[in-house]
Amino acid sequence: MLINCVVYENGSKLADIPVAEISEYVARPGCFAWVALTDATPDELDEMREEFGLHELAVEDARHGHQRPKIEEYGQSLFAVMHLLEPDSDHPGQFNLGEVDVFVGPNYVLSVRNRSKQGFLGVRDRCEREPELLRHGAGFVLYALMDAVVDRYFPIIEALESELEDVEQQIFTQRAARESIKHLYDLKQRAVVLKHAVAPLLEAVSKLHGGRVPQICAESQDYFRDVADHLVRINGLIDGMRDTISTAMQVNLALVTIDENDVTKKLAAWASIFAISTAFVGIWGMNFEQMPELKWQYGYPAALLLIIGVCSYVYYRFRRAGWL
């Protein structure tokens, strides 16, 4: 579906135009067209390919979707893929993984957003408020779109860090081990999804500043360097979070092992106490005629007192040792 199709000249909005007139304005010096699509159909992509002269391989990637974040160069044009992560309203705590494909040429920008409810109208408004920057052309628009995508990663990682702090506090709560492990593993999965969105994009953006860069981005290198700095920061936060999650899982498992050892100690201590009483009873329960205690008037209470006394002493020693 077409969202908007706008032509700009010298950093200012010229007009909203129909798709059929795109090729006409693209051919005019000093103009560039910015078109936005969402969940584009194959027919719409084919139409855009004809209007802009897009490379067939890039169009094929956009048509199939589910691409790894990347930036590819086709002659004087670029094709960028970025992942869009949004909270899934139907499954709390999960992500909805969307994608935005951006075709950039010397005088055009085409963004195709798929499986995402968050648009980029704010990006267009921002660019139109800064005509002196918009004069840089399509390269600056690519930066603005990329910056908007990267900025959306920060609230996600902050939410993950907040969840991780809550789980870390629950780790030391009794009988919460199983739930803590499930929650930690779920956090680790979401961190991996975010990592898969950030790490490849960081590698791709590094090609847009310093050294040899595409001509389209030559005047916007400083801005792409800023995006790269944000991605480096996010990537470091993700790595730190994953390490913390792994440590928390190990601590959780260690606490489970300690609890099991405590239970084992208690069972062993009680088993020892009952073994003592069983030994005494077993000895006096033997059917021998010549047993001096059998004819003694106070034999029975004396035996009970002896058993209780020995068991109490053993219980006392286990208590001092911390087993009971």
Side-chain angles (χ1 to χ4, degrees):
M1 182 178 67
L2 179 68
I3 298 176
N4 43 44
C5 180
V6 184
V7 173
Y8 298 87
E9 185 175 15
N10 296 324
S12 300
K13 181 177 178 179
L14 186 61
D16 291 287
I17 62 172
V19 174
E21 297 181 9
I22 289 177
S23 57
E24 176 185 345
Y25 281 93
V26 166
R28 291 173 55 177
C31 291
F32 79 91
W34 183 356
V35 181
L37 300 175
T38 179
D39 297 317
T41 64
D43 291 338
E44 287 176 324
L45 289 175
D46 289 337
E47 186 179 13
M48 292 298 167
R49 178 176 60 83
E50 294 177 1
E51 292 293 330
F52 289 116
L54 305 177
H55 197 282
E56 180 60 35
L57 293 177
V59 175
E60 190 70 18
D61 285 346
R63 184 179 292 115
H64 290 157
H66 302 285
Q67 299 294 312
R68 183 176 183 267
K70 60 182 179 179
I71 297 177
E72 294 179 338
E73 195 171 354
Y74 294 97
Q76 294 184 341
S77 64
L78 294 177
F79 174 65
V81 177
M82 293 171 282
H83 284 179
L84 303 173
L85 300 180
E86 304 166 4
D88 191 339
S89 57
D90 296 330
H91 302 87
Q94 300 298 322
F95 289 146
N96 176 45
L97 181 60
E99 181 180 306
V100 58
D101 303 322
V102 186
F103 300 84
V104 186
N107 45 11
Y108 67 84
V109 175
L110 169 63
S111 65
V112 183
R113 177 167 51 90
N114 296 309
R115 305 181 306 280
S116 174
K117 298 179 181 178
Q118 296 183 358
F120 292 98
L121 292 177
V123 178
R124 187 180 292 272
D125 293 339
R126 170 196 172 187
C127 292
E128 291 178 353
R129 289 194 304 267
E130 300 175 328
E132 67 282 358
L133 298 177
L134 196 55
R135 286 192 182 95
H136 293 309
F140 179 76
V141 175
L142 174 61
Y143 151 75
L145 290 170
M146 194 173 293
D147 186 56
V149 172
V150 173
D151 285 345
R152 292 177 184 179
Y153 293 153
F154 282 104
I156 293 174
I157 198 167
E158 289 174 0
L160 292 178
E161 288 177 337
S162 178
E163 282 190 56
L164 180 57
E165 291 175 358
D166 294 339
V167 177
E168 285 181 309
Q169 294 177 357
Q170 294 174 2
I171 286 177
F172 298 97
T173 303
Q174 291 184 350
R175 287 175 285 187
R178 184 181 294 274
E179 291 301 321
S180 295
I181 286 291
K182 289 181 179 179
H183 204 161
L184 287 169
Y185 191 75
D186 177 65
L187 281 171
K188 190 170 185 179
Q189 285 183 313
R190 282 183 280 166
V192 169
V193 173
L194 185 57
K195 178 76 172 181
H196 289 167
V198 171
L201 187 59
L202 173 59
E203 179 183 353
V205 173
S206 64
K207 302 175 183 178
L208 302 182
H209 64 87
R212 178 197 172 277
V213 299
Q215 185 61 35
I216 301 173
C217 305
E219 298 183 6
S220 304
Q221 293 188 56
D222 293 339
Y223 298 100
F224 287 110
R225 185 181 295 111
D226 181 66
V227 173
D229 290 342
H230 288 173
L231 287 170
V232 168
R233 178 184 170 191
I234 295 173
N235 194 54
L237 291 173
I238 295 172
D239 289 338
M241 183 189 304
R242 293 175 67 185
D243 291 340
T244 303
I245 291 173
S246 297
T247 302
M249 294 178 72
Q250 292 174 1
V251 170
N252 194 78
L253 293 174
L255 290 175
V256 171
T257 302
I258 291 173
D259 290 341
E260 291 178 350
N261 288 339
D262 289 341
V263 173
T264 302
K265 287 180 181 179
K266 291 180 180 180
L267 292 175
W270 283 112
S272 300
I273 293 173
F274 282 108
I276 292 172
S277 60
T278 302
F280 280 115
V281 172
I283 292 172
W284 283 313
M286 292 185 294
N287 296 320
F288 290 110
E289 292 185 2
Q290 301 300 325
M291 291 183 68
E293 297 89 352
L294 294 179
K295 304 297 183 180
W296 186 30
Q297 181 180 1
Y298 302 104
Y300 178 68
L304 291 179
L305 289 174
L306 179 61
I307 293 174
I308 293 173
V310 174
C311 290
S312 298
Y313 174 73
V314 174
Y315 175 82
Y316 166 75
R317 294 303 300 268
F318 277 130
R319 286 278 298 195
R320 289 199 60 182
W323 283 43
L324 288 174

